[in-house]
Amino acid sequence: MTGQAVSVQARFEAEAMNRACGPLPGSLKVSVAGADLVFTREAALWWPEEATLVVSDLHLEKGSAHAARGLFLPPYDTTATLRGVGALVHALGPRRVISLGDSFHDADGGARLPEPARETLRGLQAGRDWIWIAGNHDPVIDGDVGGDASLEVSIGTLTFRHEPRDGEAAGEVAGHLHPAARVRVRGRSIRKPAFITDGTRLVMPAFGAFTGGLDVKSAPFAPLFPNGRFHAYLCGEDRLYAFPSRALSGG
Amino acid sequence: MLPDRFVAWFAMRGWQPRPHQLALLDHARRQRSTLLIAPTGAGKTLAGFLPSLVALSEPGGRRQMRITGRGVRRRGIHTLYISPLKALAVDVARNVEKPIAEMGLDIRVETRTGDTSTHKRQRQKIDPPDILMTTPEQVALLISGAEAEDLFADLDTIVLDELHALVTSKRGDLLALGLARLRRLAPHVRLVGLSATVANPGELAGWLTSAESPAEIVTASGGARPDLGLLISDARIPWAGHMAGFAMADVYTALKSARMALVFVNTRAQAEFTFQELWRLNEDTLPIALHHGSLDAGQRRKVEAAMADGRLKAVVCTSTLDLGIDWGDVDLVIQIGAPKGASRLAQRIGRANHRLDEPSRALLVPASRFEVMECRAAVDAANEGHQDTPPIRAGSLDVLAQHVLGMACAGPFRADELFAEVRSAWPYRDLDRERFDRVVDFVATGGYALKSYERFAKIRLAADGTWRLSHPRFAQQYRLNIGTIIEMPMLNVVLTSRNKLGRVGVSGRRLGQIEEYFLETLSAGDTFRFAGEVLRFETIRDSEALVTRAHDPDPKVPAYAGGKFPLSTYLAERVRAILADPAQWRALPDQVAEWLAIQREVSLIPRADQLLVETFPRANRWYMVCYPFEGRLAHQTLGMLLTRRMERLKLKPMGFVASEYALGIWLGADIGASLRFGRTSLDALFDEDMLGDDLEAWMAESHLLKRTFRNCAVIAGLIERRYPGQEKSGRQVTVSTDLVYDVLRSHEPDHILLQATWADASAGLLDIGRLAAMLKRVRGRIVYKPLERISPLAVPVMLEVDRQPVAGATHEALLGEAEDEIIREAMGDRASRFRAGAL
């Protein structure tokens, strides 16, 4: 299956039929490099076959990182983010959780983690594998936060790493770019975090409470999808919305 | 009263000192602060400076050397002049230097603006001029420095120019706080306010000094009465719209006969449109120029210089030319579209003919039928000299937070003393101690219930009871983020061209700046109007939007055309009075009078104190239209709240559209029948209690509130200001204020910054006060007319229905719609079959 061209139309039919429900209302089943994945509206990835939950760019302790510079963002981002991860863990009971890099906003983030958050984290890790993939913000995971650290992880046909590589990268699942896509509808422009895939590789949206987005039509995405064709799955309040790249607005 | 030297100078210029100029001199001798209210052209600036020039020219008027703890230095600043525009500060400096030179006075005048070199600014602190011309932001910077005490110890006079324009904004709050500090540094300082005519001079006089002992008020007698007219085209007056395209031929004819005309419009989009339409008609190739805030500054300066030289026939401009400098010999002002307020109109008219003895000439060009009534009302109000400037509102807490940090930068402060100082500023006179303390706490560590940032505190309470800055880098941060003007994030627009291979070039001429949010909605190939041309959007590269010249005459993407200012309450009242009184219709063009006459026949004409509500079916939907005349912002809020209520009543509201004059709601249920059978009552629908829980619930999710929050967060120093052109480098570093807002609301809904946001939004974008007053006014006075079809009065707002984005529909619903469209496009007819199968 890998690298095989799939017509836009066929993909749409397949996807629309695969509106998943059950524990993940509003999510969508999408195949990437032959693996059947589920994208959730909360911006997480669920791989049922492997009982693996993937979240990217949590940026924990972003609030306190700014506070250290005199910009006092609300000190509730870590709580909010972990609450989101917790809800998914409880709903799905994954065997394995992968945090796809930039889990902490900076290298000291793990050390700054307040005790209650640390406890929450321990609770989430109990009884399952927890993998911290290294990111550019947190190349080394420090500060007694449990789990295993790794540069990247390969499972089946998929490779999980933080920064996507230019050119062909079949089976790569990455984060880093915080993709967000914009659709213009009846004079209004709507922008949401989005999963971006051409069926062979995937860029995940950021999961953290304070993480902004980068437009998928901007330059850093170009080398990842050389023919400019991909699908964006926009994370809405109630469900995901699928659009081919040509239907998106932006430069 | 005037020293000989000055008498001789007046005589040499062939002038007589005007009574108000002498009155100001007299008050100055008695050390009284003064508010001068005068029309443009009355010699206001000279009046403001005359007492300072006299004082500085007298022997002993200038203290020579001062010995301070820091050593021997020259005297401090004698007179501080503060203007809302840096260009005005520079211009006034030039005007004041003239009499100084001609009388040979030894007085040094300097300007200090954002453009002044660092070197000069440093020098000014050590060796200050006698008179310093500057802006409110520079004042905030100066008083936050350690040398403020030396600099302002000798301060004798503060002159505030265009005060009416400053006090109604957050800049006014910042300035008021700055003045409170200057009064402490120089207890005997005298304030002089220069203002255009306002509705409530007493309030402004109190703002200058204090409510207990307001400044003296001097009113210069007005000049000749302006010569005002409505430009009524023979062409058909449109039912709706803002652009007045139909009247351009008449506008062109009118400006042809003028020496130089200023063509005022309300928005940038209107300016672009009007400019292009006029050039389309310009067979005489008259020099007609364009001036608005988004154009490249160099381009604007060129236009201003050409005006001053008398090289232009007309300039199409927005409020950028409302204030300040006399650019040349303007003898005609044309206002396109409704003026929105009587005082706004009067100030614009004042831009013509700066000689008191000749009347200013102005023409109003209504763009639609409702605007005909509004323009009529405005002309009547201006002829009666009526003013409707808004009242000064309570000071914002975000601005206070900025000021508190600034004061910590100046030196350690005691909370008690600073609180008293802050309360001496007019906008903060009713501030309570609890709020003040919360603001200080916010500055220190963010003011959160969860005290986790103590170790990062910006200011700390020392053992001696003073608050002190914890690190000098916070002073630097403060200086970079000073001010209350928050621009939308902007991108440079660069005109480039395609090479032979069809590739778009990367460099070219800078045309100006456009809001990033607008550019991001464009796709390559979309065309829009800017800088007097139709441009084709190519791409965004770094912080630049690359465009090429488009060859189609009409742009594909219309820019938003609504004005920034809502119709003033006073003008609204007058419009309702015109509408209610058929005798006044005779003064309106036939088309408009006929329109109203038919309305009277098929529906009804409400009395001035009534609210008319109509319902009618149309194309499988039911409509309800009401006519409060309270401005678009208040109508929009009313629409949001009414549709929420209707949803609960199972009336199936589907969307609404708000104009300056009316609100139209469309529904999936027969609202007429519901009213007829008493299932719903209009009194209940329009009950004031909608401003309770419903408002609260809606505010929580409104994007208007998020926009307001962003501004408050920047002003208060929660996030850093983004400068135009600044690299969008660290997207992981940039903070999305929308997300911060969501997190803060869910964890600490009572946070001080959310309070500031709420206060700001209810006074601004939501116009709650106005809506509340309207609901109260119409209680028991709602007149209802059930109709079988649309009424004449309803036509304008119904036309907007098809034109505007659906205000009521949620983002999510729209996304679903767009997705369906794509699926239909991809699969043709099979879409519906397929969908059904999936179920």
Side-chain angles (χ1 to χ4, degrees):
Chain A
M1 281 291 287
T2 311
Q4 185 186 326
V6 186
S7 81
V8 168
Q9 187 169 318
R11 289 181 56 79
F12 260 114
E13 297 194 13
E15 280 151 17
M17 232 174 337
N18 283 329
R19 289 229 177 266
C21 42
L24 295 172
S27 59
L28 268 181
K29 284 184 193 166
V30 181
S31 163
V32 176
D36 291 325
L37 306 176
V38 179
F39 298 169
T40 84
R41 60 183 177 169
E42 299 89 352
L45 177 68
W46 172 235
W47 190 0
E49 202 184 324
E50 290 286 330
T52 295
L53 175 70
V54 189
V55 288
S56 187
D57 297 271
L58 299 179
H59 285 264
L60 297 172
E61 291 302 299
K62 181 166 178 171
S64 60
H66 277 73
R69 297 174 45 227
L71 305 169
F72 300 123
L73 298 184
Y76 307 112
D77 58 318
T78 298
T79 313
T81 304
L82 289 181
R83 195 179 290 162
V85 179
L88 289 166
V89 167
H90 291 132
L92 298 165
R95 202 163 63 219
R96 179 193 297 126
V97 175
I98 298 176
S99 178
L100 203 52
D102 287 0
S103 310
F104 294 92
H105 189 68
D106 58 335
D108 297 330
R112 280 203 314 275
L113 206 63
E115 199 41 48
R118 205 176 293 275
E119 245 161 68
T120 307
L121 196 54
R122 263 182 230 126
L124 293 177
Q125 291 167 339
R128 58 182 55 91
D129 291 342
W130 187 285
I131 301 168
W132 302 108
I133 302 281
N136 50 315
H137 279 241
D138 55 352
V140 179
I141 299 285
D142 255 343
D144 186 24
V145 293
D148 301 309
S150 178
L151 278 178
E152 54 178 63
V153 167
S154 294
I155 305 167
T157 55
L158 300 182
T159 299
F160 297 88
R161 68 168 69 99
H162 180 63
E163 282 188 47
R165 293 192 181 155
D166 289 359
E168 284 261 313
E172 181 191 83
V173 178
H176 181 60
L177 293 172
H178 300 204
R182 188 182 288 279
V183 178
R184 197 166 71 202
V185 202
R186 287 204 275 154
R188 279 207 177 184
S189 169
I190 305 168
R191 185 176 192 257
K192 299 276 181 190
F195 293 85
I196 308 297
T197 179
D198 58 359
T200 67
R201 71 184 307 166
L202 168 66
V203 185
M204 286 183 63
F207 192 90
F210 284 168
T211 47
L214 179 68
D215 202 286
V216 299
K217 292 277 184 120
S218 65
F221 288 91
L224 309 184
F225 303 101
N227 66 6
R229 284 180 32 196
F230 55 81
H231 274 72
Y233 298 83
L234 279 66
C235 302
E237 295 291 320
D238 302 324
R239 64 177 178 92
L240 285 158
Y241 299 87
F243 292 93
S245 49
R246 65 180 156 80
L248 306 172
S249 62
Chain B
M1 181 187 300
L2 218 47
D4 293 346
R5 232 194 307 197
F6 286 75
V7 174
W9 178 75
F10 268 97
M12 179 200 91
R13 306 291 318 229
W15 292 347
Q16 281 280 344
R18 296 219 173 99
H20 61 267
Q21 292 170 335
L22 295 175
L24 254 71
L25 208 55
D26 185 41
H27 288 313
R29 291 220 191 277
R30 293 185 290 114
Q31 279 302 311
R32 296 286 300 161
S33 291
T34 314
L35 171 66
L36 171 61
I37 295 199
T40 30
K44 212 167 16 180
T45 320
L46 183 58
F49 280 101
L50 206 50
S52 295
L53 298 185
V54 169
L56 284 165
S57 70
E58 279 166 0
R62 312 157 62 205
R63 273 152 278 192
Q64 292 305 317
M65 292 287 186
R66 269 164 54 88
I67 298 175
T68 70
R70 287 158 219 265
V72 180
R73 42 175 287 282
R74 260 179 68 102
R75 59 185 184 267
I77 295 166
H78 178 277
T79 293
L80 186 65
Y81 164 90
I82 304 167
S83 136
L85 306 170
K86 59 182 174 192
L88 185 59
V90 173
D91 197 62
V92 166
R94 231 176 279 135
N95 289 347
V96 170
E97 270 161 1
K98 211 185 237 173
I100 291 174
E102 287 170 354
M103 284 185 273
L105 305 176
D106 177 23
I107 299 174
R108 203 165 96 222
V109 179
E110 283 179 15
T111 57
R112 181 190 179 96
T113 70
D115 299 337
T116 308
S117 70
T118 329
H119 167 76
K120 187 171 171 190
R121 285 198 230 178
Q122 278 308 325
R123 206 259 300 130
Q124 283 173 340
K125 285 185 187 171
I126 303 159
D127 179 19
D130 300 297
I131 300 178
L132 184 70
M133 312 277 193
T134 189
T135 60
E137 288 70 26
Q138 292 295 324
V139 172
L141 274 175
L142 285 170
I143 59 170
S144 74
E147 58 291 307
E149 276 183 38
D150 289 343
L151 206 54
F152 295 115
D154 301 328
L155 192 63
D156 179 86
T157 303
I158 303 172
V159 180
L160 300 150
D161 207 350
E162 306 273 13
L163 190 59
H164 61 281
L166 267 174
V167 292
T168 52
S169 65
K170 287 190 179 184
R171 276 182 105 192
D173 294 346
L174 187 68
L175 181 59
L177 291 166
L179 294 179
R181 171 50 59 106
L182 287 171
R183 267 188 231 114
R184 222 197 76 194
L185 296 174
H188 300 296
V189 73
R190 202 171 56 83
L191 285 102
V192 177
L194 311 178
S195 168
T197 319
V198 291
N200 186 354
E203 192 186 44
L204 209 52
W207 189 97
L208 265 183
T209 48
S210 68
E212 298 76 43
S213 69
E216 306 279 349
I217 299 175
V218 173
T219 309
S221 54
R225 250 177 55 164
D227 170 11
L228 295 180
L230 246 57
L231 192 154
I232 299 300
S233 170
D234 289 335
R236 202 176 150 71
I237 304 171
W239 297 84
H242 307 276
M243 292 303 191
F246 69 100
M248 282 306 152
D250 302 279
V251 171
Y252 182 70
T253 311
L255 65 84
K256 244 161 77 169
S257 63
R259 216 166 31 236
M260 178 152 68
L262 279 182
V263 183
F264 276 109
V265 295
N266 292 331
T267 64
R268 188 180 71 200
Q270 272 176 310
E272 293 282 353
F273 174 83
T274 303
F275 177 72
Q276 254 177 11
E277 290 302 300
L278 288 177
W279 268 98
R280 213 177 271 196
L281 296 165
N282 193 0
E283 46 199 30
D284 309 290
T285 55
L286 303 173
I288 300 174
L290 178 65
H291 194 287
H292 62 69
S294 303
L295 291 178
D296 187 60
Q299 179 58 29
R300 271 182 283 159
R301 296 294 96 78
K302 263 191 228 162
V303 171
E304 288 157 11
M307 277 176 80
D309 294 350
R311 281 184 280 126
L312 294 178
K313 188 71 175 175
V315 181
V316 179
C317 58
T318 59
S319 55
T320 46
L321 290 184
D322 264 3
L323 291 182
I325 313 145
D326 297 347
W327 299 113
D329 206 2
V330 177
D331 65 337
L332 175 66
V333 163
I334 299 176
Q335 161 72 37
I336 295 192
K340 300 296 155 207
S343 293
R344 280 181 63 76
L345 177 65
Q347 281 153 29
R348 286 189 164 177
I349 294 168
R351 304 311 295 162
N353 222 347
H354 272 196
R355 274 176 297 242
L356 270 184
D357 40 348
E358 280 178 45
S360 307
R361 209 153 58 88
L363 272 178
L364 280 74
V365 187
S368 71
R369 294 174 178 216
F370 269 122
E371 283 195 0
V372 170
M373 285 195 275
E374 187 182 330
C375 288
R376 183 73 255 166
V379 166
D380 293 345
N383 279 332
E384 291 162 26
H386 196 97
Q387 300 298 331
D388 58 358
T389 45
I392 303 173
R393 50 192 193 116
S396 306
L397 296 176
D398 49 343
V399 178
L400 179 58
Q402 186 182 100
H403 178 72
V404 167
L405 182 59
M407 291 307 90
C409 297
F413 68 82
R414 281 177 199 284
D416 290 349
E417 287 168 15
L418 187 60
F419 178 58
E421 183 186 313
V422 164
R423 295 236 313 179
S424 75
W426 170 274
Y428 296 92
R429 66 197 185 285
D430 295 326
L431 180 74
D432 59 62
R433 182 59 192 257
E434 194 226 327
R435 280 194 181 213
F436 174 78
D437 287 340
R438 286 190 68 176
V439 170
V440 172
D441 188 30
F442 170 85
V443 174
T445 59
Y448 299 105
L450 181 67
K451 298 278 170 207
S452 58
Y453 292 158
E454 301 295 332
R455 68 208 136 126
F456 304 126
K458 276 197 269 200
I459 57 174
R460 282 182 217 278
L461 196 55
D464 66 353
T466 60
W467 286 92
R468 287 163 183 270
L469 203 64
S470 58
H471 196 283
R473 77 190 138 98
F474 295 129
Q476 207 175 344
Q477 199 175 38
Y478 165 77
R479 290 190 181 114
L480 284 173
N481 286 286
I482 210 164
T484 60
I485 302 170
I486 308 298
E487 308 246 344
M488 302 289 287
M490 303 286 254
L491 295 180
N492 289 328
V493 179
V494 173
L495 180 65
T496 169
S497 52
R498 287 173 175 281
N499 64 16
K500 284 194 197 104
L501 298 169
R503 288 244 178 85
V504 176
V506 289
S507 60
R509 185 159 64 91
R510 226 186 89 173
L511 296 177
Q513 294 193 323
I514 299 190
E515 290 84 1
E516 186 177 339
Y517 80 86
F518 173 76
L519 290 166
E520 279 184 340
T521 64
L522 300 182
S523 301
D526 282 352
T527 52
F528 63 101
R529 221 188 288 268
F530 187 69
E533 303 191 51
V534 176
L535 302 171
R536 182 179 193 278
F537 174 73
E538 298 293 350
T539 185
I540 293 175
R541 204 162 290 165
D542 301 328
S543 65
E544 293 182 333
L546 299 181
V547 298
T548 53
R549 233 172 227 130
H551 298 288
D552 28 347
D554 292 302
K556 219 166 83 185
V557 183
Y560 173 63
K564 212 162 56 177
F565 302 97
L567 171 68
S568 82
T569 313
Y570 172 75
L571 272 195
E573 223 169 87
R574 288 193 84 127
V575 171
R576 280 198 303 270
I578 293 178
L579 178 66
D581 179 11
Q584 291 194 48
W585 299 355
R586 277 191 294 262
L588 304 174
D590 291 346
Q591 304 175 43
V592 178
E594 187 193 31
W595 170 52
L596 298 178
I598 298 174
Q599 167 73 18
R600 183 165 50 171
E601 239 166 71
V602 305
S603 177
L604 60 84
I605 295 285
R607 285 198 325 252
D609 61 346
Q610 290 175 328
L611 174 69
L612 170 63
V613 178
E614 298 171 329
T615 58
F616 50 87
R618 188 165 174 264
N620 298 324
R621 283 173 175 179
W622 284 269
Y623 287 84
M624 184 178 103
V625 180
C626 61
Y627 308 88
F629 293 91
E630 295 293 352
R632 191 173 46 83
L633 299 177
H635 293 165
Q636 212 166 291
T637 305
L638 178 63
M640 288 287 180
L641 297 176
L642 274 181
T643 47
R644 277 186 102 94
R645 188 164 271 183
M646 289 168 155
E647 207 153 328
R648 272 203 306 278
L649 295 168
K650 310 248 178 321
L651 288 168
K652 301 186 190 146
M654 295 157 74
F656 69 84
V657 59
S659 75
E660 284 285 277
Y661 314 100
L663 168 69
I665 299 177
W666 56 100
L667 310 99
D670 185 350
I671 172 114
S674 189
L675 287 166
R676 195 159 57 243
F677 298 121
R679 285 195 298 266
T680 311
S681 92
L682 286 174
D683 286 331
L685 262 186
F686 284 86
D687 194 290
E688 289 159 76
D689 60 13
M690 75 168 73
L691 296 173
D693 295 350
D694 272 346
L695 178 62
E696 196 97 336
W698 169 58
M699 294 276 279
E701 60 209 40
S702 166
H703 68 280
L704 293 176
L705 221 63
K706 289 184 176 174
R707 204 192 304 163
T708 309
F709 177 75
R710 176 178 170 272
N711 290 352
C712 290
V714 173
I715 291 171
L718 186 76
I719 55 167
E720 280 174 310
R721 199 176 269 272
R722 243 181 77 187
Y723 286 96
Q726 195 168 307
E727 194 86 41
K728 278 175 78 182
S729 56
R731 68 198 156 273
Q732 290 93 345
V733 180
T734 343
V735 181
S736 153
T737 45
D738 286 6
L739 299 174
V740 171
Y741 173 83
D742 287 339
V743 168
L744 187 53
R745 234 199 98 82
S746 68
H747 287 83
E748 215 176 322
D750 190 37
H751 189 263
I752 191 83
L753 205 56
L754 292 178
Q755 289 184 20
T757 305
W758 163 260
D760 224 13
S762 26
L765 287 171
L766 307 182
D767 224 348
I768 306 282
R770 187 134 178 217
L771 177 57
M774 187 279 285
L775 293 174
K776 199 165 166 187
R777 172 170 64 78
V778 303
R779 197 169 25 184
R781 296 195 187 86
I782 299 177
V783 285
Y784 172 53
K785 186 75 186 178
L787 296 169
E788 280 312 304
R789 61 177 68 86
I790 178 173
S791 76
L793 221 48
V795 170
V797 75
M798 292 291 288
L799 286 173
E800 304 261 344
V801 169
D802 302 326
R803 202 177 302 187
Q804 281 194 356
V806 183
T810 65
H811 276 182
E812 294 281 311
L814 288 176
L815 265 186
E817 216 174 272
E819 191 190 48
D820 286 348
E821 216 165 274
I822 293 286
I823 292 175
R824 255 197 313 277
E825 187 188 323
M827 298 193 279
D829 295 344
R830 290 172 301 143
S832 53
R833 184 159 47 88
F834 173 73
R835 281 242 130 161
L839 297 169

